[in-house]
Amino acid sequence: MKHIIEDIYLTEIAAIAKKLNTEIYLVGGAIRDALLKRQTNDYDFVVFGDIEGLAKAVAHLFGCKTVKYNKKLLTYRVFCKIKTLDFSAPRGKNIQEDLKFRDFTINSIAFDLNSNTLIDPLGAKEDLRKGIIKANSPNSIKEDPLRILRGFRLAALFRFDIDPRTILLFRKHVELLNRVSKERITQELKLFFNLNETFTYLLIMDKVGIIDTLFEDLSFTNGCIQSNYHLFDVKTHSLSVYNYIEWAYNRLARILGKAHKKYLPHLTTEKERLFCSLKLAALFHDAAKPFCKVVTPEGKIQFPLHAEQSYELFEKYAKAYSFGKKIIKLTRFFIKNHIKPAYLYQAWSNSELTELQKVDFFLRYKEYGIDLLFFALADTLAKGKISASKRDVYIMFLQEMADYFYKHIQPKFKTKPLIEAKEILTLYPSLEKSKLKHILFEIKKLQIAKAINTKEEAGKLLKHLV
């Protein structure tokens, strides 16, 4: 707590509050994080008195902007360079009553800026010590059902357990999530997906009924038996894919070998979008299997066109939840193409993978091709029948593909084409744009694969393609 007590922001805010004869408390996450020795840049205050005058005085002192919110509680948000300060009206007659109206005990703690004392009526410090997420009251979830998702996110963030009685509350009120705006749900899901090692919590979320409530079509994957290549039903397999995605990215150097250092800039740039997309795709890549399942006369289970149909099914939720265009686009990409690496792996394992196949794959998907290979690795391991030796062979394949991309494909992206689009349109002015795009791709592919090396060879190929 020392860095809280000595924080210049709090010292100045306390002084302003004293001048205004205003009672003020730092509450919630900032105190929780201080007790957990975690840094935070967001401060929430409860103000008994002139909240507007206090917020404006603080904003003036620090040269910050102020925004007024008045949804459930009157709040003034002050945006400073390194901190965001929220000044809110109380929820009760006093600070103890206010804290009892909050979500979980670990967030229901206050620091009196005037006396420098902690106020902990619900045992937050003890629950932090034990590592427990506990709802404040039986009505806590009914007041705001989004707290169900927040509870799991906080548990995953801190690696805490969730109190069994709170789990029962979550299960009892899970259907109330349908009353929460999709925007608020999406925000919580994005925060959860971008945490690491969340699989254990996802399993509990599924048992509580959260996944089937938010994505009702996924309920049909429960108990949908697959072919003999799979040990699990569709839902269990999908959750397992989610698990192996986290497993693989926690072992980046092992999975990619020497190529992992070259992959890091891409991962760093795309991490938030990528993790959210990969995990969404894990849940949805086989979502249509219950609807396209076929049992042949020989008793074989098949799922014709399930990737395409899962892609279509996901569109329903892409429209409902505001994950953002880039995350939706990436998720679609993984769902639609998740089977394609299997064909490359099969050719590779038979020593039949050609230069043209590798160039075609990476020219189409660029560095996202490596992300797709990660997804395919997780999908393969999640079948449940893969031995450690076969797993290592697949990892060897992934390493070779990544090495090939960084050595032979990425450096040639900016290579001048043997024949330009303008030249093609001069020769064939009525050529359709889609046809032109295909021709340019084929020429570039053969050029990178060194199947053609001169302008004359490109010209001959052009005549054939047209």
Side-chain angles (χ1 to χ4, degrees):
M1 289 294 296
K2 185 179 179 182
H3 69 276
I4 286 283
I5 295 171
E6 296 177 351
D7 189 306
I8 185 64
Y9 280 89
L10 298 186
T11 303
E12 295 293 343
I13 290 168
I16 294 172
K18 191 173 183 180
K19 286 181 183 178
L20 295 174
N21 195 27
T22 297
E23 195 178 330
I24 185 168
Y25 300 89
L26 179 65
V27 297
I31 308 300
R32 176 200 68 211
D33 291 347
L35 291 169
L36 292 172
K37 294 181 170 57
R38 296 171 62 96
Q39 290 294 324
T40 183
N41 291 319
D42 296 330
Y43 282 172
D44 295 324
F45 301 93
V46 170
V47 180
F48 291 83
D50 184 5
I51 180 174
E52 181 178 3
L54 177 63
K56 289 183 176 179
V58 170
H60 177 74
L61 176 65
F62 294 118
C64 307
K65 292 182 178 179
T66 304
V67 177
K68 180 182 178 182
Y69 297 93
N70 197 4
K71 294 182 179 179
K72 289 187 177 180
L73 282 175
L74 175 63
T75 300
Y76 286 86
R77 178 165 293 176
V78 179
F79 296 94
C80 298
K81 287 184 178 180
I82 60 172
K83 291 194 184 294
T84 301
L85 314 172
D86 277 2
F87 299 90
S88 299
R91 304 167 193 242
K93 296 176 182 178
N94 52 51
I95 190 61
Q96 287 82 3
E97 193 173 308
D98 176 275
L99 294 174
K100 289 177 182 178
F101 280 114
R102 295 178 179 271
D103 51 8
F104 303 105
T105 58
I106 63 167
N107 292 331
S108 304
I109 190 167
F111 181 71
D112 188 333
L113 266 63
N114 295 317
S115 64
N116 286 350
T117 56
L118 278 177
I119 300 165
D120 184 13
L122 298 176
K125 284 181 70 176
E126 181 64 11
D127 286 342
L128 286 169
R129 187 186 67 79
K130 291 179 178 178
I132 294 177
I133 302 293
K134 187 188 296 181
N136 278 3
S137 72
N139 290 325
S140 175
I141 307 307
K142 286 197 290 185
E143 289 168 2
D144 185 2
L146 188 69
R147 289 171 174 173
I148 296 173
L149 293 182
R150 189 179 301 134
F152 279 102
R153 175 172 63 81
L154 290 173
L157 177 62
F158 301 129
R159 306 299 297 166
F160 281 9
D161 294 334
I162 301 178
D163 175 67
R165 286 168 295 185
T166 299
I167 289 286
L168 290 175
L169 279 177
F170 288 169
R171 184 180 286 125
K172 180 180 180 181
H173 299 303
V174 68
E175 293 293 332
L176 295 180
L177 282 170
N178 290 319
R179 300 180 186 177
V180 181
S181 73
K182 292 294 190 290
E183 289 77 15
R184 294 181 71 213
I185 288 174
T186 304
Q187 187 60 31
E188 278 295 337
L189 288 176
K190 286 168 74 173
L191 291 170
F192 180 83
F193 288 150
N194 278 297
L195 295 174
N196 196 15
E197 297 182 353
T198 58
F199 171 65
T200 303
Y201 298 98
L202 186 77
L203 286 180
I204 305 171
M205 289 167 70
D206 186 46
K207 289 179 180 178
V208 166
I210 292 172
I211 294 175
D212 293 347
T213 299
L214 298 181
F215 310 112
E216 58 183 356
D217 289 291
L218 296 186
S219 65
F220 295 99
T221 64
N222 292 301
C224 181
I225 303 304
Q226 305 194 76
S227 68
N228 291 333
Y229 296 108
H230 288 266
L231 188 62
F232 308 117
D233 68 350
V234 175
K235 171 65 85 59
T236 307
H237 167 74
S238 298
L239 296 176
S240 189
V241 173
Y242 184 108
N243 176 37
Y244 277 111
I245 286 168
E246 294 191 328
W247 176 89
Y249 275 94
N250 283 333
R251 293 160 178 80
L252 198 62
R254 176 186 171 188
I255 303 298
L256 286 181
K258 294 178 181 179
H260 88 277
K261 290 183 179 179
K262 294 182 179 178
Y263 177 73
L264 280 175
H266 168 75
L267 178 62
T268 302
T269 303
E270 297 287 340
K271 189 173 181 179
E272 288 191 10
R273 291 189 292 266
L274 183 60
F275 279 16
C276 192
S277 301
L278 284 166
K279 291 176 178 181
L280 272 174
L283 297 177
F284 279 96
H285 74 292
D286 285 345
K289 277 188 172 181
F291 309 110
C292 58
K293 183 176 180 178
V294 172
V295 182
T296 67
E298 296 76 27
K300 291 184 178 181
I301 297 175
Q302 297 176 346
F303 301 96
L305 300 175
H306 83 269
E308 292 82 356
Q309 291 191 38
S310 295
Y311 175 96
E312 293 298 326
L313 189 149
F314 174 69
E315 289 301 295
K316 171 182 175 180
Y317 299 96
K319 293 174 182 176
Y321 293 94
S322 52
F323 283 102
K325 290 182 180 179
K326 290 185 178 180
I327 289 174
I328 294 299
K329 185 177 179 181
L330 259 182
T331 306
R332 288 169 176 157
F333 166 71
F334 292 127
I335 294 172
K336 191 174 184 179
N337 299 294
H338 75 271
I339 299 174
K340 292 182 179 178
Y343 300 126
L344 297 180
Y345 173 71
Q346 187 175 4
W348 176 85
S349 59
N350 293 326
S351 301
E352 296 172 354
L353 185 61
T354 66
E355 194 89 358
L356 276 177
Q357 285 176 301
K358 290 187 283 188
V359 173
D360 185 278
F361 180 78
F362 283 120
L363 199 55
R364 288 182 189 279
Y365 306 135
K366 300 181 174 59
E367 212 158 3
Y368 294 107
I370 296 176
D371 304 327
L372 182 58
L373 290 169
F374 264 101
F375 188 90
L377 169 65
D379 193 22
T380 300
L381 297 180
K383 291 178 181 179
K385 290 189 172 184
I386 306 298
S387 65
S389 58
K390 285 187 177 180
R391 176 198 65 200
D392 292 341
V393 170
Y394 197 100
I395 289 173
M396 191 187 305
F397 160 69
L398 205 162
Q399 287 180 1
E400 286 190 18
M401 290 291 285
D403 283 337
Y404 184 84
F405 172 78
Y406 289 114
K407 288 179 181 177
H408 303 288
I409 304 296
Q410 194 180 57
K412 295 179 182 178
F413 277 150
K414 296 182 180 179
T415 301
K416 186 178 179 181
L418 291 171
I419 189 165
E420 302 275 2
K422 288 182 180 179
E423 296 175 82
I424 296 173
L425 289 173
T426 300
L427 293 169
Y428 304 97
S430 60
L431 196 65
E432 295 179 1
K433 285 186 178 181
S434 59
K435 182 74 172 176
L436 175 63
K437 188 177 180 180
H438 169 71
I439 289 171
L440 288 169
F441 178 86
E442 290 298 318
I443 291 174
K444 189 171 184 178
K445 179 174 74 176
L446 291 169
Q447 182 182 348
I448 290 175
K450 296 182 179 179
I452 58 172
N453 299 291
T454 65
K455 198 175 186 70
E456 289 72 25
E457 289 174 330
K460 289 179 182 179
L461 176 63
L462 174 61
K463 289 181 181 178
H464 173 74
L465 291 171
V466 170

